[in-house]
């Protein structure tokens, strides 16, 4: 039989009693939940979205107000609020306070690698590089495939000058994930070690990976410029300007290259563009000053160089140029002042001592001039002009034997330069060397020149030849100083004397964006200084 339908029928008595009992039980449970049986716990993350919103909008005051409220409600147990508060402290420069808060986050979540990374970052900013390495190593145990940890370990090792370990960590970072900043840091290691070839190889790989990165293109162009490979330098600098026509570093380097080849007006046109972007750049005013020096506008050159010296008073290259210009203008006391200052900052450069000796000679301080020449000869093993100037001074003081020794040393250096490169010597230098050789009776022509036949030599009178046999003073070193100035003003600096590849700005970590700085003139990597 089919079951009877309950539709339209009244419930039986037992069923009604059951419904009443069930409703009574529900009421009891409800009263228990509303009472003390199940207390309401605070939700720790309920305002995280608002904290994040204020932080990314850089409304830090409102963000700190919400963080304070959230920490009061959660009794200081909201990890995200503490984390953001630490970030704000770091942005405000309170590094120690941020470190303490990040350490609190690491205690709340000991298995979170991000908290340890931030602790290490704060230690790095405090200059505690060894401690930062220890914390980064702990973070690496929690996350072995984080390129950022390897990269930051490499940067810490750079500051400790442990370049081999730094290279290993940076290569590991590139193996995990390729980034422009890692290539830049790896290239800077090779530059610090003085290995330009390896640095160029690294930057070439970086440009292949990121062909539109103007910093990489500019740095590679500067390295080629330092090696004298002007075609490739111009190519990479041009590419950098194609992607960023306002890149002042590339413009400054291109202007410097034109200045090196004597195109002073074109270089000045480039420098005008740079002056709009970075009017307080010491290398800019240094190069402008040397352009005016090349155009023989010495007063304007001194004015620009003194402005560069005001902006960078400890830059020996600017002091070198100031001494050079004053020496050319025969202002020997001022030249002595600036050259002495340059020597204090660069005591291993022989050419500075030679210039100082020229100034001392014209100030009639012969003994100190001899000491300066002796130091220049000891330090500079390649420049024949040092020995020539010294030989002239010794000859004028009647010390012919010592002058002959310096003359012979000069000839040795000339032979080496002649064999190694097709170097053209300054005409005034050659003329003075010929006169000195004739006076010392070692020949009228040096090894780098062909003897010139003088048609009047056959018709010389006996009195003239007799007068020639009498030792005559070869003159002061003033002319030699001027000749050296014109020859050395736009010469590329020797390696080790402070070229464009030096690091002035310390490498930064990629954890947070840092504010962009204006021209950093001592980034020599980045800017050329004419000497």
């Amino acid at each position: 039989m089919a079951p009877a339908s309950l539709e339209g029928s009244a419930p039986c008595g037992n069923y009604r009693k059951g419904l009443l009992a069930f409703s009574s039980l529900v009421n009891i449970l409800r009263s228990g939940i509303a009472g003390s049986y199940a207390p309401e716990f605070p939700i720790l993350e309920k305002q995280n979205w608002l904290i994040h919103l204020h932080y990314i909008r850089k409304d830090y005051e409102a963000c700190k107000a919400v963080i304070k409220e959230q920490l009061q409600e959660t009794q200081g147990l909201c990890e995200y609020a503490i984390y953001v508060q630490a970030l704000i402290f770091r942005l405000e420069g309170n590094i120690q306070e941020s470190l303490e808060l990040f350490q609190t986050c690491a205690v709340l979540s000991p298995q979170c690698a991000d908290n340890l990374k931030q602790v290490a970052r704060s230690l790095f900013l405090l200059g505690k590089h060894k401690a930062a390495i220890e914390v980064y190593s702990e973070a690496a145990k929690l996350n072995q495939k984080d390129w950022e940890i390897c990269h930051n370990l490499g940067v810490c090792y750079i500051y400790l000058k442990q370049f081999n370990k730094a290279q290993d960590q940076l290569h590991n970072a590139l193996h995990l994930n390729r980034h422009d900043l890692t290539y830049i840091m790896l290239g800077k290691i090779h530059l610090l070690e003085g290995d330009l070839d390896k640095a160029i190889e690294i930057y070439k790989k970086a440009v292949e990976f990121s062909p539109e990165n103007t910093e990489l293109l500019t740095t590679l162009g500067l390295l080629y410029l330092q090696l004298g490979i002007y075609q490739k330098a111009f190519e990479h600098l041009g590419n950098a300007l194609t992607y960023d026509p306002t890149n002042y570093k590339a413009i400054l380097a291109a202007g410097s290259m034109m200045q090196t080849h004597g195109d002073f007006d074109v270089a000045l046109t480039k420098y005008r563009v740079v002056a709009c972007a970075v009017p307080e750049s010491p290398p800019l005013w240094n190069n402008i000053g040397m352009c005016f020096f090349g155009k023989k506008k010495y007063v304007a050159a001194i004015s620009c160089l003194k402005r560069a010296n005001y902006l960078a008073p400890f830059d020996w290259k600017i002091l070198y140029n100031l001494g050079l210009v004053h020496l050319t203008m025969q202002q020997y006391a001022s030249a002595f002042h600036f050259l002495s200052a340059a020597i204090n900052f660069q005591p291993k450069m022989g050419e500075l001592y030679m210039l100082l000796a020229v100034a001392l000679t014209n100030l009639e301080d012969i003994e100190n001039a001899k000491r300066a020449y002796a130091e220049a000869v000891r330090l500079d093993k390649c420049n024949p002009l040092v020995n020539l100037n010294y030989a002239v001074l010794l000859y004028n003081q009647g010390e012919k034997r010592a002058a002959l020794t310096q003359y012979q040393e000069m000839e040795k250096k000339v032979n080496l330069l002649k064999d190694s490169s097709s170097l053209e010597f300054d005409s005034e230098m050659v003329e003075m060397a010929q006169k000195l050789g004739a006076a010392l009776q070692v020949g009228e022509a040096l090894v780098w020149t062909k003897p010139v036949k003088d048609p009047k030599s056959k018709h010389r009178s006996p009195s003239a030849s007799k007068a020639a046999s009498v030792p005559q003073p070869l003159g002061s070193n003033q002319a030699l100083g001027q000749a050296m100035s014109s020859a050395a003003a736009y010469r590329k600096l020797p390696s080790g004397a402070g070229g464009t590849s030096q690091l002035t700005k310390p490498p930064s970590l990629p954890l947070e964006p840092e504010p962009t700085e204006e021209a950093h003139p001592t980034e020599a990597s980045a800017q050329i200084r004419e000497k």
Side-chain angles (χ1 to χ4, degrees):
M1 295 177 59
S5 175
L6 297 177
E7 196 172 327
S9 63
C12 64
N14 291 335
Y15 184 68
R16 185 181 299 142
K17 292 178 182 179
L19 288 175
L20 291 174
F22 179 75
S23 62
S24 300
L25 180 61
V26 169
N27 292 331
I28 293 172
L29 289 175
R30 284 179 178 175
S31 62
I33 292 175
S36 60
Y37 292 100
E40 183 179 356
F41 291 101
I43 302 175
L44 300 180
E45 297 84 7
K46 67 179 181 179
Q47 295 195 59
N48 283 2
W49 66 273
L50 186 57
I51 295 173
H52 176 73
L53 186 63
H54 286 305
Y55 180 77
I56 62 175
R57 289 179 176 178
K58 298 184 179 181
D59 188 0
Y60 299 132
E61 295 302 323
C63 186
K64 287 191 288 186
V66 177
I67 289 173
K68 183 178 180 181
E69 179 184 348
Q70 179 78 342
L71 291 177
Q72 288 177 348
E73 291 181 3
T74 61
Q75 299 179 355
L77 296 178
C78 182
E79 179 188 347
Y80 185 74
I82 299 173
Y83 186 91
V84 176
Q85 180 70 71
L87 291 178
I88 294 175
F89 276 152
R90 179 186 291 169
L91 291 173
E92 293 175 345
N94 301 320
I95 309 299
Q96 184 63 41
E97 290 82 351
S98 72
L99 172 61
E100 294 172 0
L101 292 179
F102 282 129
Q103 288 174 334
T104 303
C105 293
V107 172
L108 292 174
S109 297
Q111 299 301 318
C112 180
D114 289 335
N115 291 335
L116 292 177
K117 286 161 59 176
Q118 295 294 353
V119 171
R121 168 69 166 166
S122 296
L123 289 170
F124 172 84
L125 293 175
L126 290 171
K128 301 177 180 179
H129 301 118
K130 291 183 179 179
I133 289 175
E134 293 177 1
V135 178
Y136 275 128
S137 300
E138 292 296 324
K141 295 177 182 178
L142 299 175
N143 188 356
Q144 298 180 355
K145 295 185 178 181
D146 191 335
W147 76 273
E148 193 175 303
I149 295 176
C150 296
H151 174 93
N152 294 338
L153 278 170
V155 175
C156 290
Y157 281 123
I158 290 176
Y159 276 88
L160 295 177
K161 299 188 184 302
Q162 299 179 15
F163 297 132
N164 291 332
K165 292 183 178 180
Q167 289 185 46
D168 293 339
Q169 293 294 337
L170 292 173
H171 281 298
N172 291 338
L174 288 175
H175 179 72
L176 293 172
N177 203 345
R178 300 170 69 186
H179 283 267
D180 297 348
L181 188 56
T182 307
Y183 279 114
I184 291 173
M185 298 311 306
L186 193 57
K188 285 183 178 181
I189 292 176
H190 294 305
L191 292 178
L192 288 173
E193 293 178 332
D195 195 341
L196 294 183
D197 294 332
K198 287 186 178 179
I200 287 177
E201 291 300 320
I202 291 296
Y203 281 111
K204 285 171 65 177
K205 292 179 181 178
V207 169
E208 291 176 1
F209 168 70
S210 182
E212 297 183 6
N213 189 316
T214 56
E215 182 179 356
L216 293 173
L217 290 169
T218 303
T219 305
L220 187 56
L222 290 172
L223 291 177
Y224 280 126
L225 184 61
Q226 187 176 356
L227 294 177
I229 308 175
Y230 297 110
Q231 182 64 35
K232 290 186 177 180
F234 193 80
E235 176 184 347
H236 287 88
L237 292 173
N239 290 338
L241 290 174
T242 299
Y243 293 116
D244 184 9
T246 61
N247 188 337
Y248 71 90
K249 293 181 182 179
I251 297 174
L252 187 60
S256 174
M257 189 159 49
M258 296 170 185
Q259 180 178 346
T260 304
H261 290 82
D263 296 332
F264 302 119
D265 293 326
V266 180
L268 286 172
T269 303
K270 296 290 184 182
Y271 295 150
R272 287 192 187 97
V273 179
V274 180
C276 296
V278 281
E280 303 300 322
S281 170
L284 169 66
W285 290 106
N286 177 78
N287 283 12
I288 292 175
M290 295 314 290
C291 276
F292 285 125
F293 178 74
K295 293 166 68 69
K296 298 185 179 180
K297 296 181 179 180
Y298 301 128
V299 176
I302 289 177
S303 177
C304 295
L305 288 171
K306 285 193 173 180
R307 180 167 183 177
N309 179 242
Y310 172 78
L311 295 170
F314 302 120
D315 192 333
W316 70 269
K317 302 180 186 71
I318 299 173
L319 296 168
Y320 172 100
N321 285 342
L322 276 167
L324 206 61
V325 178
H326 281 294
L327 199 62
T328 305
M329 295 184 69
Q330 303 179 23
Q331 298 173 351
Y332 302 113
S334 297
F336 172 81
H337 168 74
F338 289 111
L339 292 170
S340 299
I343 288 174
N344 288 331
F345 296 115
Q346 190 70 17
K348 301 297 183 181
M349 187 176 180
E351 193 170 303
L352 283 171
Y353 288 95
M354 180 186 70
L355 288 176
L356 186 67
V358 172
L360 288 168
T361 302
N362 287 278
L363 292 172
E364 299 181 357
D365 189 351
I366 304 302
E367 293 303 320
N368 285 324
K370 288 181 181 179
R371 293 190 183 98
Y373 274 128
E375 187 67 16
V377 170
R378 185 182 69 84
L379 292 173
D380 197 326
K381 305 297 183 181
C382 300
N383 190 355
L385 195 56
V386 175
N387 302 93
L388 176 60
N389 273 351
Y390 194 14
V392 169
L393 175 64
L394 293 172
Y395 178 83
N396 288 336
Q397 297 302 312
E399 302 177 21
K400 293 184 180 180
R401 187 177 299 275
L404 180 61
T405 301
Q406 294 300 322
Y407 185 88
Q408 292 170 346
E409 289 295 324
M410 177 193 65
E411 285 188 317
K412 292 178 182 179
K413 291 181 180 179
V414 169
N415 284 326
L416 291 175
L417 291 174
K418 182 181 177 182
D419 295 337
S420 61
S421 63
S422 57
L423 184 65
E424 295 183 2
F425 295 91
D426 187 84
S427 59
E428 190 171 351
M429 172 184 170
V430 175
E431 181 181 357
M432 186 59 66
Q434 289 174 337
K435 290 181 181 179
L436 181 61
L440 294 174
Q441 298 179 358
V442 293
E444 296 185 0
L446 277 174
V447 293
W448 63 68
T449 59
K450 295 181 179 179
V452 180
K453 295 182 179 180
D454 188 357
K456 299 180 181 180
S457 60
K458 296 181 180 179
H459 306 287
R460 284 179 180 171
S461 61
S463 60
S465 61
K466 182 178 180 180
S469 64
V470 178
Q472 298 292 329
L474 294 177
S476 67
N477 285 13
Q478 170 185 333
L480 290 176
Q482 293 177 354
M484 189 281 312
S485 301
S486 62
Y490 310 108
R491 180 175 60 83
K492 186 182 74 172
L493 284 174
S495 60
T500 60
S501 58
Q502 300 291 332
L503 282 182
T504 68
K505 182 180 178 182
S508 60
L509 297 174
L511 296 176
E512 296 172 6
E514 296 182 358
T516 57
E517 297 182 3
E518 290 298 324
H520 202 290
T522 55
E523 304 168 3
S525 56
Q527 301 174 356
I528 300 294
R529 294 174 180 172
E530 296 300 320
K531 294 287 180 289

